[in-house]
Amino acid sequence: RGLVSARKSRQCAGMAMLPAGTAAATASGGDKGVMVMMADALAVTPTQAEDLAALAQLHAAAFADHAWPATMLAESLAQPYVYGLQMRSENGLVGFALLQRVADDDEILTYAVAPGLQRRGYGRQLLQEIYDAARAAQRQRIFLEVAEDNIPAIRLYAGFGFHVTGKRPGYYPRPTGAVAAILMQLDL
């Protein structure tokens, strides 16, 4: 699915990228490549089929009523234009994102950090990895949509440099009535 390799060690937003050949293959570009990114004993790697159960469990914990089941995650990852990145610590899965390549852009399809680990900087670190992968693959923009009632996520994205480009009214169902999807974009 892709190559985001580090030919030389470098520091990036507090994370060290070790040379290619030191860890799992990465995910967003041309050929297969290898890399690992570590900070505070964290590793960011591409998602694999064997990760789907853990991803679905984390997604259910993060999104309760509208979580993607493992089958939906598997169907998405089976598409040749979809890839995923996951962040793990020594204690397990911290967060993950699924993205799709659309022409010269990437779109974040879903993005989740374990509820007990939110607001500790992991979401921002994962966004940095997404940004770095998109830049390495020479993407022009990253798009996403977020529920208008998910204020912490909107603040995270805006703080990273995403800006609002539109709104889809009544997109996300809620027990008290549907809320809008806020469309956001980051120019690279």
Side-chain angles (χ1 to χ4, degrees), residues 73-95:
L73 294 169
E75 289 168 1
S76 294
L77 280 171
Q79 302 304 311
Y81 49 84
V82 173
Y83 69 98
L85 295 174
Q86 63 180 328
M87 178 181 282
R88 290 187 173 272
S89 73
E90 296 168 355
N91 297 319
L93 186 61
V94 172

Side-chain angles (χ1 to χ4, degrees), residues 28 32 34 48 63 75-76 82 90 93 150 164 169 180 188:
S28 103
K32 295 280 184 187
V34 290
Q48 305 293 329
F63 293 107
E75 289 168 1
S76 294
V82 173
E90 296 168 355
L93 186 61
N150 191 345
V164 175
L188 303 179

Side-chain angles (χ1 to χ4, degrees), residues 4-188:
V4 179
S5 67
R7 300 290 179 221
K8 299 178 183 176
S9 294
R10 69 180 175 105
Q11 292 292 321
C12 178
M15 301 185 94
M17 286 189 3
L18 303 176
T22 59
T26 63
S28 103
D31 291 75
K32 295 280 184 187
V34 290
M35 107 179 144
V36 65
M37 297 181 188
M38 307 278 304
D40 302 324
L42 294 176
V44 175
T45 60
T47 57
Q48 305 293 329
E50 60 268 15
D51 303 320
L52 291 173
L55 299 180
Q57 185 176 9
L58 187 146
H59 206 268
F63 293 107
D65 295 337
H66 49 280
W68 293 17
T71 54
M72 189 170 175
L73 294 169
E75 289 168 1
S76 294
L77 280 171
Q79 302 304 311
Y81 49 84
V82 173
Y83 69 98
L85 295 174
Q86 63 180 328
M87 178 181 282
R88 290 187 173 272
S89 73
E90 296 168 355
N91 297 319
L93 186 61
V94 172
F96 76 97
L98 293 186
L99 300 98
Q100 70 177 349
R101 292 182 297 274
V102 180
D104 291 333
D105 302 325
D106 276 354
E107 179 185 8
I108 298 174
L109 300 174
T110 192
Y111 177 92
V113 172
L117 299 175
Q118 292 175 359
R119 297 186 182 161
R120 296 185 186 183
Y122 297 119
R124 183 164 177 70
Q125 287 181 359
L126 187 54
L127 273 180
Q128 184 66 51
E129 298 302 331
I130 292 166
Y131 174 86
D132 291 345
R135 293 277 305 205
Q138 300 181 335
R139 304 287 182 243
Q140 301 298 308
R141 287 166 293 277
I142 301 172
F143 294 98
L144 62 82
E145 57 188 45
V146 58
E148 70 179 343
D149 61 352
N150 191 345
I151 303 304
I154 292 169
R155 287 184 181 145
L156 171 67
Y157 301 138
F160 198 83
F162 283 84
H163 61 276
V164 175
T165 59
K167 189 175 190 177
R168 288 191 182 128
Y171 188 78
Y172 290 103
R174 298 289 190 262
T176 58
V179 299
I182 304 299
L183 310 176
M184 301 183 83
Q185 170 182 318
L186 176 67
D187 297 312
L188 303 179

